[in-house]
Coordinates of all heavy atoms in Angstrom, one line a residue:
M4 N -4.6 26.3 -6.5 CA -4.7 26.1 -5.1 C -5.3 24.7 -4.8 O -5.0 24.1 -3.9 CB -5.6 27.2 -4.5 CG -5.7 27.1 -3.0 SD -4.1 27.4 -2.2 CE -4.4 28.9 -1.5
E5 N -6.2 24.2 -5.8 CA -6.8 22.9 -5.6 C -5.8 21.8 -5.7 O -5.9 20.8 -5.0 CB -7.9 22.7 -6.6 CG -8.8 21.5 -6.3 CD -9.5 21.4 -5.0 OE1 -9.9 22.5 -4.5 OE2 -9.6 20.3 -4.4
D6 N -4.8 22.0 -6.6 CA -3.7 21.0 -6.7 C -3.0 20.9 -5.4 O -2.6 19.8 -5.0 CB -2.7 21.4 -7.8 CG -3.4 21.3 -9.2 OD1 -4.4 20.5 -9.4 OD2 -2.9 21.9 -10.1
K7 N -2.7 22.0 -4.7 CA -2.0 22.0 -3.5 C -2.8 21.1 -2.4 O -2.2 20.3 -1.8 CB -1.8 23.4 -3.0 CG -1.2 23.5 -1.6 CD -1.0 25.0 -1.2 CE -0.6 25.1 0.2 NZ -0.5 26.5 0.6
K8 N -4.1 21.4 -2.3 CA -4.9 20.7 -1.4 C -5.0 19.2 -1.7 O -4.9 18.4 -0.8 CB -6.3 21.3 -1.4 CG -7.2 20.7 -0.3 CD -8.5 21.3 -0.3 CE -9.4 20.5 0.7 NZ -10.5 21.1 1.3
A9 N -5.2 18.9 -3.0 CA -5.2 17.5 -3.4 C -3.9 16.8 -3.1 O -3.9 15.6 -2.6 CB -5.6 17.4 -4.9
Y10 N -2.8 17.4 -3.4 CA -1.5 16.8 -3.1 C -1.4 16.5 -1.6 O -0.9 15.4 -1.2 CB -0.4 17.7 -3.6 CG 1.0 17.2 -3.3 CD1 1.6 16.3 -4.2 CD2 1.7 17.7 -2.2 CE1 2.9 15.8 -3.9 CE2 3.0 17.2 -2.0 CZ 3.6 16.3 -2.8 OH 4.8 15.8 -2.6
Q11 N -1.7 17.5 -0.8 CA -1.6 17.4 0.7 C -2.4 16.2 1.2 O -2.0 15.4 2.0 CB -1.9 18.7 1.4 CG -0.9 19.8 1.1 CD -1.4 21.1 1.6 OE1 -2.5 21.3 2.0 NE2 -0.5 22.1 1.6
E12 N -3.7 16.1 0.7 CA -4.6 15.1 1.1 C -4.0 13.7 0.7 O -4.1 12.7 1.4 CB -6.0 15.3 0.6 CG -6.7 16.5 1.3 CD -8.0 16.8 0.7 OE1 -8.4 16.2 -0.4 OE2 -8.7 17.7 1.2
S13 N -3.5 13.6 -0.5 CA -3.0 12.4 -1.0 C -1.8 12.0 -0.2 O -1.7 10.8 0.2 CB -2.6 12.6 -2.5 OG -1.8 11.5 -2.9
M14 N -0.9 12.9 0.1 CA 0.3 12.6 0.9 C -0.1 12.2 2.3 O 0.6 11.3 2.9 CB 1.3 13.7 0.9 CG 1.9 14.0 -0.5 SD 2.5 12.4 -1.4 CE 3.8 11.9 -0.3
E15 N -1.1 12.8 2.9 CA -1.5 12.5 4.3 C -2.0 11.0 4.2 O -1.7 10.2 5.1 CB -2.7 13.4 4.7 CG -2.3 14.7 5.2 CD -1.7 14.7 6.6 OE1 -1.6 13.7 7.3 OE2 -1.2 15.8 7.0
A16 N -2.8 10.6 3.2 CA -3.3 9.3 3.1 C -2.1 8.3 2.9 O -2.1 7.2 3.6 CB -4.3 9.2 2.0
R17 N -1.2 8.6 2.1 CA 0.0 7.7 1.8 C 0.8 7.6 3.1 O 1.4 6.6 3.4 CB 0.8 8.2 0.6 CG 0.0 8.1 -0.7 CD 0.7 8.8 -1.8 NE 2.0 8.1 -2.1 CZ 2.9 8.6 -2.9 NH1 2.7 9.7 -3.6 NH2 4.0 7.9 -3.2
F18 N 1.0 8.7 3.8 CA 1.8 8.8 5.0 C 1.1 7.8 6.1 O 1.8 7.1 6.7 CB 1.8 10.2 5.5 CG 2.8 10.3 6.7 CD1 4.1 10.5 6.5 CD2 2.3 10.3 8.0 CE1 5.0 10.6 7.5 CE2 3.2 10.4 9.0 CZ 4.6 10.6 8.8
S19 N -0.2 7.9 6.2 CA -0.9 7.0 7.2 C -0.7 5.6 6.8 O -0.5 4.7 7.6 CB -2.4 7.4 7.2 OG -2.5 8.6 7.8
E20 N -0.9 5.3 5.5 CA -0.7 3.9 5.0 C 0.7 3.4 5.3 O 0.8 2.2 5.7 CB -1.0 3.9 3.5 CG -0.9 2.5 2.9 CD -1.2 2.5 1.4 OE1 -2.1 3.3 0.9 OE2 -0.5 1.8 0.6
L21 N 1.7 4.2 5.0 CA 3.1 3.8 5.3 C 3.3 3.5 6.7 O 4.0 2.6 7.1 CB 4.1 4.7 4.7 CG 5.5 4.3 4.8 CD1 5.8 3.0 4.1 CD2 6.4 5.4 4.3
G22 N 2.7 4.4 7.6 CA 2.8 4.2 9.0 C 2.3 2.9 9.5 O 2.9 2.2 10.3
A23 N 1.1 2.5 8.9 CA 0.5 1.2 9.2 C 1.4 0.1 8.8 O 1.6 -0.9 9.5 CB -0.8 1.1 8.6
K24 N 2.1 0.2 7.6 CA 3.0 -0.8 7.2 C 4.2 -0.9 8.0 O 4.7 -2.0 8.3 CB 3.4 -0.5 5.7 CG 2.3 -0.8 4.7 CD 2.8 -0.4 3.3 CE 1.7 -0.7 2.3 NZ 2.2 -0.4 0.9
I25 N 4.7 0.2 8.5 CA 5.9 0.2 9.4 C 5.5 -0.5 10.7 O 6.2 -1.3 11.2 CB 6.4 1.6 9.7 CG1 7.0 2.2 8.4 CG2 7.4 1.6 10.8 CD1 7.4 3.6 8.5
D26 N 4.3 -0.2 11.2 CA 3.8 -0.9 12.4 C 3.7 -2.4 12.2 O 4.0 -3.2 13.1 CB 2.5 -0.3 12.9 CG 2.6 1.1 13.4 OD1 3.7 1.5 13.8 OD2 1.6 1.8 13.5
Q27 N 3.2 -2.8 11.0 CA 3.1 -4.3 10.7 C 4.5 -4.9 10.7 O 4.7 -6.0 11.2 CB 2.4 -4.5 9.4 CG 0.9 -4.2 9.4 CD 0.3 -4.2 8.0 OE1 1.0 -4.3 7.0 NE2 -1.0 -4.1 8.0
L28 N 5.4 -4.2 10.1 CA 6.8 -4.7 10.0 C 7.4 -4.8 11.4 O 8.1 -5.8 11.7 CB 7.7 -3.8 9.2 CG 9.1 -4.3 8.9 CD1 9.1 -5.6 8.1 CD2 9.8 -3.2 8.1
Q29 N 7.1 -3.9 12.3 CA 7.5 -3.9 13.7 C 7.0 -5.2 14.4 O 7.7 -5.9 15.1 CB 7.1 -2.7 14.4 CG 7.4 -2.7 15.9 CD 8.8 -2.4 16.2 OE1 9.2 -1.3 15.9 NE2 9.5 -3.3 16.8
A30 N 5.7 -5.5 14.1 CA 5.1 -6.6 14.8 C 5.8 -7.9 14.3 O 6.0 -8.8 15.1 CB 3.6 -6.7 14.4
K31 N 6.0 -8.0 13.0 CA 6.7 -9.2 12.5 C 8.2 -9.3 13.0 O 8.6 -10.3 13.3 CB 6.8 -9.1 10.9 CG 5.4 -9.3 10.3 CD 5.5 -9.2 8.8 CE 4.2 -9.3 8.1 NZ 4.3 -9.1 6.7
A32 N 8.8 -8.1 13.1 CA 10.2 -8.1 13.6 C 10.2 -8.6 15.1 O 11.2 -9.2 15.5 CB 10.8 -6.7 13.5
N33 N 9.2 -8.3 15.8 CA 9.1 -8.7 17.2 C 9.1 -10.2 17.4 O 9.4 -10.8 18.4 CB 7.9 -8.1 17.9 CG 8.1 -6.6 18.1 OD1 9.2 -6.1 18.1 ND2 7.0 -5.9 18.4
Q34 N 8.7 -10.9 16.3 CA 8.7 -12.4 16.3 C 10.0 -13.0 15.8 O 10.1 -14.2 15.8 CB 7.5 -12.8 15.5 CG 6.1 -12.4 16.0 CD 5.0 -12.7 15.1 OE1 5.2 -13.2 14.0 NE2 3.8 -12.4 15.5
A35 N 10.8 -12.2 15.2 CA 12.1 -12.6 14.7 C 13.1 -12.9 15.8 O 12.9 -12.6 16.9 CB 12.7 -11.6 13.7
R36 N 14.1 -13.6 15.5 CA 15.1 -14.0 16.5 C 16.5 -13.6 16.0 O 16.8 -13.5 14.8 CB 15.1 -15.5 16.7 CG 13.8 -16.0 17.2 CD 13.6 -15.7 18.7 NE 12.4 -16.1 19.2 CZ 11.4 -15.3 19.5 NH1 11.5 -14.0 19.5 NH2 10.2 -15.8 20.0
G37 N 17.4 -13.5 17.0 CA 18.8 -13.3 16.7 C 19.2 -12.1 15.9 O 18.7 -11.0 16.2
D38 N 20.2 -12.2 15.0 CA 20.7 -11.1 14.2 C 19.6 -10.5 13.4 O 19.6 -9.3 13.2 CB 21.8 -11.6 13.3 CG 23.1 -12.0 14.1 OD1 23.2 -11.6 15.3 OD2 23.9 -12.7 13.6
V39 N 18.7 -11.3 12.9 CA 17.6 -10.8 12.1 C 16.8 -9.8 12.9 O 16.5 -8.7 12.4 CB 16.7 -11.9 11.5 CG1 15.5 -11.3 10.8 CG2 17.5 -12.8 10.6
E40 N 16.5 -10.2 14.1 CA 15.7 -9.3 15.0 C 16.4 -8.0 15.2 O 15.8 -6.9 15.1 CB 15.4 -10.0 16.3 CG 14.6 -9.1 17.3 CD 14.4 -9.8 18.6 OE1 15.2 -10.6 19.0 OE2 13.4 -9.4 19.3
A41 N 17.7 -8.1 15.6 CA 18.4 -6.8 15.8 C 18.5 -6.0 14.6 O 18.4 -4.7 14.7 CB 19.8 -7.2 16.3
D42 N 18.8 -6.6 13.4 CA 18.9 -5.8 12.2 C 17.6 -5.1 11.8 O 17.6 -3.9 11.5 CB 19.4 -6.7 11.1 CG 19.8 -5.9 9.8 OD1 20.3 -4.8 10.0 OD2 19.5 -6.5 8.7
I43 N 16.5 -5.9 11.9 CA 15.2 -5.3 11.5 C 14.8 -4.2 12.5 O 14.3 -3.1 12.1 CB 14.1 -6.4 11.4 CG1 14.5 -7.4 10.3 CG2 12.8 -5.8 11.2 CD1 14.5 -6.8 8.9
N44 N 15.0 -4.4 13.8 CA 14.7 -3.4 14.8 C 15.5 -2.2 14.6 O 15.0 -1.1 14.7 CB 14.8 -4.0 16.2 CG 13.7 -4.9 16.6 OD1 12.5 -4.6 16.2 ND2 13.9 -5.9 17.4
Q45 N 16.7 -2.3 14.2 CA 17.6 -1.1 13.9 C 17.0 -0.4 12.7 O 16.9 0.9 12.7 CB 19.0 -1.5 13.6 CG 19.9 -0.4 13.4 CD 21.4 -0.9 13.1 OE1 21.6 -2.1 13.0 NE2 22.3 0.1 13.1
K46 N 16.6 -1.1 11.7 CA 16.0 -0.4 10.5 C 14.7 0.2 10.9 O 14.4 1.3 10.4 CB 15.8 -1.4 9.4 CG 17.2 -1.9 8.8 CD 17.0 -2.8 7.6 CE 18.2 -3.3 7.1 NZ 19.4 -2.5 7.0
I47 N 13.9 -0.4 11.8 CA 12.6 0.2 12.1 C 12.8 1.5 13.0 O 12.1 2.5 12.8 CB 11.8 -0.8 12.9 CG1 11.3 -1.9 11.9 CG2 10.6 -0.2 13.6 CD1 10.6 -3.1 12.5
V48 N 13.8 1.5 13.8 CA 14.1 2.7 14.5 C 14.5 3.8 13.5 O 14.0 5.0 13.7 CB 15.3 2.5 15.6 CG1 15.8 3.8 16.1 CG2 14.8 1.6 16.7
F49 N 15.3 3.5 12.5 CA 15.6 4.5 11.5 C 14.3 5.0 10.8 O 14.1 6.2 10.6 CB 16.6 3.9 10.5 CG 16.9 4.8 9.3 CD1 17.7 5.9 9.4 CD2 16.2 4.5 8.1 CE1 17.9 6.7 8.3 CE2 16.4 5.4 7.0 CZ 17.3 6.5 7.1
L50 N 13.5 4.0 10.4 CA 12.2 4.3 9.7 C 11.4 5.3 10.5 O 10.8 6.2 10.0 CB 11.5 3.1 9.3 CG 12.0 2.2 8.2 CD1 11.2 0.9 8.1 CD2 11.9 3.0 6.9
K51 N 11.2 5.0 11.8 CA 10.4 5.8 12.6 C 10.9 7.2 12.8 O 10.2 8.2 12.8 CB 10.1 5.1 14.0 CG 9.2 3.9 13.8 CD 8.7 3.4 15.1 CE 7.7 2.3 14.9 NZ 6.4 2.6 14.9
T52 N 12.2 7.3 12.9 CA 12.9 8.6 13.0 C 12.7 9.4 11.7 O 12.3 10.6 11.7 CB 14.4 8.5 13.2 OG1 14.6 7.8 14.5 CG2 15.1 9.8 13.3
K53 N 12.9 8.7 10.5 CA 12.6 9.3 9.2 C 11.2 9.7 9.0 O 10.8 10.7 8.5 CB 13.1 8.4 8.1 CG 13.3 9.0 6.8 CD 14.6 9.9 6.9 CE 14.8 10.5 5.6 NZ 15.6 11.8 5.8
Q54 N 10.3 8.8 9.5 CA 8.9 9.1 9.4 C 8.5 10.4 10.2 O 7.7 11.2 9.7 CB 8.1 7.9 10.0 CG 6.6 8.0 10.0 CD 5.9 6.8 10.6 OE1 6.5 6.1 11.5 NE2 4.7 6.5 10.2
D55 N 9.1 10.5 11.4 CA 8.8 11.8 12.1 C 9.3 13.0 11.4 O 8.6 14.0 11.4 CB 9.5 11.7 13.5 CG 8.8 10.7 14.4 OD1 7.6 10.3 14.2 OD2 9.5 10.3 15.4
E56 N 10.5 12.9 10.8 CA 11.0 14.0 10.0 C 10.1 14.4 8.8 O 9.9 15.5 8.6 CB 12.4 13.7 9.5 CG 13.5 13.6 10.6 CD 14.8 13.0 10.1 OE1 15.0 12.9 8.9 OE2 15.7 12.7 10.9
V57 N 9.7 13.3 8.1 CA 8.8 13.6 6.9 C 7.5 14.1 7.4 O 7.0 15.1 6.7 CB 8.7 12.3 6.1 CG1 7.6 12.4 5.0 CG2 10.0 11.9 5.5
H58 N 7.0 13.7 8.5 CA 5.7 14.2 9.0 C 5.8 15.7 9.3 O 5.0 16.5 9.0 CB 5.2 13.4 10.2 CG 3.8 13.8 10.6 ND1 3.6 14.6 11.6 CD2 2.6 13.5 10.0 CE1 2.3 14.8 11.7 NE2 1.7 14.1 10.8
Q59 N 7.0 16.0 9.9 CA 7.2 17.5 10.2 C 7.3 18.3 9.0 O 6.7 19.4 8.9 CB 8.5 17.6 11.1 CG 8.7 19.0 11.6 CD 7.6 19.3 12.6 OE1 6.9 18.5 13.2 NE2 7.4 20.6 12.8
Q60 N 7.9 17.7 7.9 CA 8.0 18.4 6.7 C 6.6 18.6 6.0 O 6.3 19.6 5.4 CB 9.0 17.7 5.7 CG 10.4 17.9 6.0 CD 11.3 17.3 5.0 OE1 11.1 16.2 4.5 NE2 12.4 18.0 4.6
L61 N 5.8 17.6 6.2 CA 4.4 17.7 5.6 C 3.7 18.7 6.3 O 2.9 19.5 5.7 CB 3.7 16.3 5.8 CG 2.3 16.2 5.2 CD1 2.3 16.6 3.8 CD2 1.7 14.8 5.4
Q62 N 3.8 18.9 7.6 CA 3.1 19.9 8.4 C 3.6 21.3 8.0 O 2.8 22.2 7.8 CB 3.3 19.7 9.9 CG 2.7 18.4 10.4 CD 1.3 18.2 10.0 OE1 0.4 19.1 10.1 NE2 1.1 17.0 9.5
T63 N 4.9 21.4 7.7 CA 5.5 22.7 7.2 C 4.9 23.0 5.8 O 4.6 24.1 5.5 CB 7.0 22.6 7.2 OG1 7.5 22.3 8.5 CG2 7.6 23.9 6.7
L64 N 4.9 22.0 5.0 CA 4.3 22.1 3.7 C 2.9 22.6 3.7 O 2.5 23.5 3.0 CB 4.4 20.8 2.9 CG 4.0 20.8 1.4 CD1 4.9 21.7 0.6 CD2 4.0 19.4 0.9
K65 N 2.1 22.0 4.6 CA 0.7 22.4 4.7 C 0.5 23.9 5.2 O -0.4 24.5 4.7 CB 0.0 21.5 5.6 CG -0.2 20.1 5.1 CD -0.7 19.1 6.1 CE -2.0 19.4 6.6 NZ -2.5 18.3 7.5
A66 N 1.4 24.3 6.0 CA 1.3 25.7 6.5 C 1.9 26.7 5.6 O 1.7 27.9 5.8 CB 2.0 25.7 7.9
A67 N 2.6 26.3 4.6 CA 3.4 27.3 3.7 C 2.4 28.0 2.8 O 1.4 27.5 2.4 CB 4.4 26.5 2.8
G68 N 2.8 29.2 2.5 CA 2.1 30.1 1.6 C 2.3 29.5 0.1 O 3.2 28.7 -0.1
D69 N 1.6 30.1 -0.8 CA 1.7 29.6 -2.2 C 3.1 29.7 -2.8 O 3.5 28.8 -3.5 CB 0.7 30.3 -3.1 CG -0.8 30.0 -2.7 OD1 -1.0 28.9 -2.1 OD2 -1.7 30.7 -3.1
E70 N 3.8 30.8 -2.5 CA 5.1 31.0 -3.1 C 6.1 30.0 -2.5 O 6.9 29.4 -3.3 CB 5.6 32.4 -2.9 CG 4.8 33.4 -3.7 CD 5.3 34.8 -3.5 OE1 6.5 35.0 -3.2 OE2 4.4 35.7 -3.6
A71 N 6.1 29.8 -1.2 CA 7.0 28.8 -0.6 C 6.7 27.4 -0.9 O 7.5 26.5 -0.8 CB 7.1 29.1 0.9
W72 N 5.4 27.2 -1.1 CA 4.9 25.8 -1.2 C 5.6 25.0 -2.3 O 6.0 23.8 -2.1 CB 3.4 25.8 -1.5 CG 2.8 24.5 -1.4 CD1 2.4 23.8 -0.2 CD2 2.5 23.5 -2.4 NE1 1.9 22.6 -0.5 CE2 1.9 22.4 -1.8 CE3 2.7 23.6 -3.8 CZ2 1.5 21.3 -2.6 CZ3 2.3 22.5 -4.5 CH2 1.7 21.3 -3.9
V73 N 5.8 25.6 -3.4 CA 6.4 24.9 -4.6 C 7.8 24.4 -4.2 O 8.2 23.3 -4.4 CB 6.5 25.8 -5.8 CG1 7.2 25.1 -7.0 CG2 5.0 26.1 -6.3
T74 N 8.6 25.3 -3.6 CA 10.0 25.0 -3.2 C 9.9 23.9 -2.1 O 10.7 22.9 -2.2 CB 10.7 26.2 -2.6 OG1 10.7 27.2 -3.6 CG2 12.1 25.9 -2.2
L75 N 9.1 24.0 -1.1 CA 9.0 23.0 0.0 C 8.5 21.7 -0.6 O 8.9 20.7 0.0 CB 8.1 23.6 1.1 CG 8.6 24.7 1.9 CD1 7.5 25.3 2.8 CD2 9.8 24.3 2.7
Q76 N 7.6 21.7 -1.6 CA 7.1 20.5 -2.1 C 8.2 19.6 -2.7 O 8.2 18.4 -2.5 CB 6.1 20.7 -3.2 CG 5.5 19.5 -3.8 CD 4.6 19.7 -5.0 OE1 4.6 20.8 -5.6 NE2 3.8 18.7 -5.3
V77 N 9.2 20.2 -3.3 CA 10.3 19.5 -3.9 C 11.1 18.8 -2.8 O 11.4 17.6 -2.9 CB 11.2 20.4 -4.8 CG1 12.5 19.7 -5.2 CG2 10.4 21.0 -6.0
G78 N 11.4 19.5 -1.8 CA 12.1 18.9 -0.6 C 11.3 17.8 0.0 O 11.9 16.8 0.4
F79 N 10.1 18.1 0.2 CA 9.2 17.1 0.8 C 9.2 15.8 0.0 O 9.3 14.7 0.5 CB 7.8 17.6 1.1 CG 6.9 16.5 1.5 CD1 6.8 16.1 2.8 CD2 6.0 15.8 0.6 CE1 6.0 15.1 3.3 CE2 5.2 14.8 1.0 CZ 5.2 14.4 2.3
Q80 N 9.0 15.9 -1.3 CA 9.0 14.8 -2.2 C 10.2 14.0 -2.1 O 10.2 12.7 -2.1 CB 8.7 15.2 -3.6 CG 8.3 14.1 -4.5 CD 7.0 13.3 -4.1 OE1 6.0 13.9 -3.9 NE2 7.1 12.0 -4.0
R81 N 11.4 14.6 -2.0 CA 12.6 13.9 -1.9 C 12.7 13.1 -0.6 O 13.1 11.9 -0.6 CB 13.8 14.9 -1.9 CG 14.4 15.1 -3.3 CD 15.7 15.8 -3.2 NE 15.6 16.9 -4.2 CZ 15.7 18.2 -3.9 NH1 16.0 18.6 -2.7 NH2 15.6 19.0 -4.9
A82 N 12.2 13.8 0.5 CA 12.2 13.1 1.8 C 11.3 11.9 1.8 O 11.5 10.8 2.3 CB 11.9 14.1 2.9
W83 N 10.1 12.1 1.1 CA 9.1 11.0 1.1 C 9.7 9.8 0.3 O 9.5 8.7 0.7 CB 7.8 11.5 0.4 CG 6.9 10.4 0.1 CD1 6.7 9.8 -1.1 CD2 6.1 9.7 1.0 NE1 5.8 8.8 -1.0 CE2 5.4 8.7 0.3 CE3 5.9 9.8 2.4 CZ2 4.5 7.8 1.0 CZ3 5.0 9.0 3.0 CH2 4.4 8.0 2.3
D84 N 10.3 10.1 -0.8 CA 10.9 9.1 -1.7 C 12.0 8.3 -0.9 O 12.1 7.1 -1.0 CB 11.5 9.6 -2.9 CG 10.5 10.2 -3.9 OD1 9.3 9.9 -3.7 OD2 10.8 10.9 -4.8
E85 N 12.8 9.0 -0.1 CA 13.8 8.4 0.7 C 13.2 7.5 1.8 O 13.6 6.3 2.0 CB 14.7 9.4 1.4 CG 15.8 8.9 2.2 CD 16.7 10.0 2.8 OE1 16.9 11.0 2.2 OE2 17.2 9.7 3.9
L86 N 12.1 7.9 2.4 CA 11.4 7.1 3.4 C 10.8 5.9 2.8 O 10.9 4.8 3.3 CB 10.4 8.0 4.1 CG 9.5 7.2 5.1 CD1 10.3 6.6 6.3 CD2 8.4 8.2 5.6
S87 N 10.2 6.1 1.6 CA 9.6 4.9 0.9 C 10.6 3.9 0.6 O 10.4 2.7 0.7 CB 8.9 5.4 -0.3 OG 7.8 6.2 0.0
R88 N 11.8 4.3 0.0 CA 12.9 3.4 -0.3 C 13.4 2.7 0.9 O 13.6 1.5 0.9 CB 14.0 4.2 -1.0 CG 13.9 4.2 -2.5 CD 15.2 4.7 -3.1 NE 15.7 6.0 -2.5 CZ 15.3 7.2 -2.9 NH1 14.4 7.3 -3.8 NH2 15.9 8.2 -2.3
A89 N 13.6 3.4 2.0 CA 14.1 2.8 3.3 C 13.1 1.8 3.8 O 13.5 0.7 4.2 CB 14.3 3.9 4.3
F90 N 11.8 2.0 3.6 CA 10.8 1.0 4.1 C 10.9 -0.2 3.2 O 10.9 -1.4 3.7 CB 9.4 1.6 4.0 CG 8.4 0.5 4.2 CD1 8.1 0.0 5.5 CD2 7.8 -0.1 3.2 CE1 7.3 -1.0 5.7 CE2 6.9 -1.2 3.4 CZ 6.6 -1.6 4.6
E91 N 11.0 0.0 1.9 CA 11.1 -1.2 1.0 C 12.3 -2.0 1.2 O 12.3 -3.2 1.2 CB 11.0 -0.7 -0.5 CG 9.7 -0.2 -0.9 CD 8.5 -1.1 -0.7 OE1 8.7 -2.4 -0.9 OE2 7.4 -0.7 -0.4
E92 N 13.4 -1.4 1.5 CA 14.7 -2.1 1.8 C 14.5 -2.9 3.1 O 14.9 -4.0 3.2 CB 15.8 -1.1 1.9 CG 16.3 -0.5 0.6 CD 17.3 0.6 0.7 OE1 17.8 0.8 1.9 OE2 17.6 1.2 -0.3
A93 N 13.9 -2.3 4.1 CA 13.7 -3.0 5.4 C 12.8 -4.2 5.2 O 13.0 -5.2 5.8 CB 13.2 -2.0 6.5
A94 N 11.7 -4.0 4.5 CA 10.7 -5.0 4.3 C 11.4 -6.2 3.5 O 11.2 -7.4 3.8 CB 9.5 -4.5 3.5
A95 N 12.2 -5.8 2.5 CA 12.9 -6.8 1.7 C 13.9 -7.6 2.6 O 14.0 -8.8 2.5 CB 13.6 -6.2 0.5
K96 N 14.6 -6.9 3.4 CA 15.5 -7.6 4.3 C 14.8 -8.6 5.2 O 15.3 -9.7 5.4 CB 16.2 -6.5 5.2 CG 17.2 -7.0 6.2 CD 18.5 -7.3 5.5 CE 19.5 -7.6 6.6 NZ 20.7 -8.2 6.1
F97 N 13.7 -8.2 5.7 CA 12.9 -9.1 6.6 C 12.4 -10.3 5.8 O 12.6 -11.4 6.2 CB 11.7 -8.4 7.2 CG 10.9 -9.3 8.1 CD1 11.4 -9.5 9.4 CD2 9.8 -9.9 7.7 CE1 10.7 -10.4 10.2 CE2 9.1 -10.7 8.5 CZ 9.5 -10.9 9.8
R98 N 11.9 -10.1 4.5 CA 11.5 -11.2 3.7 C 12.6 -12.1 3.4 O 12.4 -13.3 3.4 CB 10.8 -10.7 2.4 CG 9.5 -10.1 2.6 CD 8.8 -9.8 1.2 NE 9.6 -8.9 0.4 CZ 9.4 -7.6 0.4 NH1 8.5 -7.0 1.2 NH2 10.1 -6.8 -0.4
D99 N 13.8 -11.5 3.1 CA 14.9 -12.4 2.7 C 15.5 -13.2 3.9 O 16.0 -14.3 3.6 CB 16.1 -11.5 2.2 CG 15.7 -10.8 0.9 OD1 14.8 -11.2 0.2 OD2 16.4 -9.9 0.5
N100 N 15.3 -12.7 5.1 CA 15.8 -13.4 6.3 C 14.8 -14.2 7.1 O 15.0 -14.7 8.2 CB 16.6 -12.5 7.2 CG 17.8 -12.0 6.5 OD1 18.7 -12.8 6.3 ND2 17.9 -10.7 6.2
K101 N 13.5 -14.2 6.6 CA 12.5 -14.8 7.3 C 12.6 -16.3 7.3 O 12.9 -16.9 6.2 CB 11.1 -14.4 6.6 CG 9.9 -14.8 7.4 CD 8.7 -14.3 6.7 CE 7.4 -14.8 7.3 NZ 6.3 -14.3 6.5
P102 N 12.5 -17.0 8.4 CA 12.6 -18.4 8.5 C 11.5 -19.1 7.7 O 10.4 -18.6 7.6 CB 12.5 -18.8 9.9 CG 12.2 -17.6 10.7 CD 12.2 -16.4 9.7
S103 N 11.8 -20.1 7.0 CA 10.8 -20.8 6.1 C 9.9 -21.7 6.9 O 10.3 -22.3 7.9 CB 11.5 -21.7 5.1 OG 12.4 -20.9 4.3

C-alpha cells in the first residue's frame, strides 16, 4: 500500500513540474512569430488537452481500489509517457525554430 501512495505522490509532483514547463513553453511561444508561433501554439493546445486527460487518469488511479490500481497504473504510465514525449517534441521544435 505504501508503494501505491509513494507512486501517486511522485506522479503528482512530476505532473505539477510538467505543467509548469508547459506554461513556460507557452510564454516563449507567445513571443514567437509566424509559422513557428502557429505550430508551437497548436502543439501546446494538444499538450494541454493531453495534460487534462492524464490528470483525469491520475485522479481515477488515486481513487481505485488495490485490485484495480495495478491495471490502471499500467494505462496511466502509458499516458504519462506519451504526454512526456509530446512535451519533449514540442520543446525541441521550439528550440530548433527559435531565432538566433
Side-chain angles (χ1 to χ4, degrees):
M4 188 63 112
E5 189 59 36
D6 289 340
K7 177 181 172 182
K8 183 176 176 161
Y10 178 82
Q11 290 170 354
E12 289 174 358
S13 170
M14 292 312 297
E15 282 282 357
R17 292 173 65 191
F18 188 83
S19 294
E20 181 181 318
L21 184 59
K24 288 179 180 180
I25 291 170
D26 291 343
Q27 290 172 351
L28 187 60
Q29 174 79 62
K31 290 177 183 178
N33 290 341
Q34 297 172 359
R36 299 286 178 247
D38 291 343
V39 172
E40 177 185 25
D42 189 36
I43 296 297
N44 281 326
Q45 182 180 8
K46 290 186 183 319
I47 289 172
V48 167
F49 172 79
L50 283 172
K51 289 194 178 263
T52 300
K53 198 72 180 155
Q54 181 183 24
D55 290 342
E56 291 171 9
V57 172
H58 188 259
Q59 190 63 22
Q60 284 186 319
L61 181 57
Q62 297 311 311
T63 300
L64 183 67
K65 288 170 64 174
D69 290 341
E70 290 180 29
W72 190 84
V73 173
T74 303
L75 291 172
Q76 181 189 16
V77 171
F79 172 79
Q80 190 63 51
R81 268 192 229 119
W83 171 259
D84 292 344
E85 183 180 324
L86 175 60
S87 296
R88 269 192 310 277
F90 172 78
E91 290 303 324
E92 289 171 10
K96 177 81 171 167
F97 183 78
R98 282 190 302 269
D99 293 345
N100 291 298
K101 189 175 174 183
S103 301

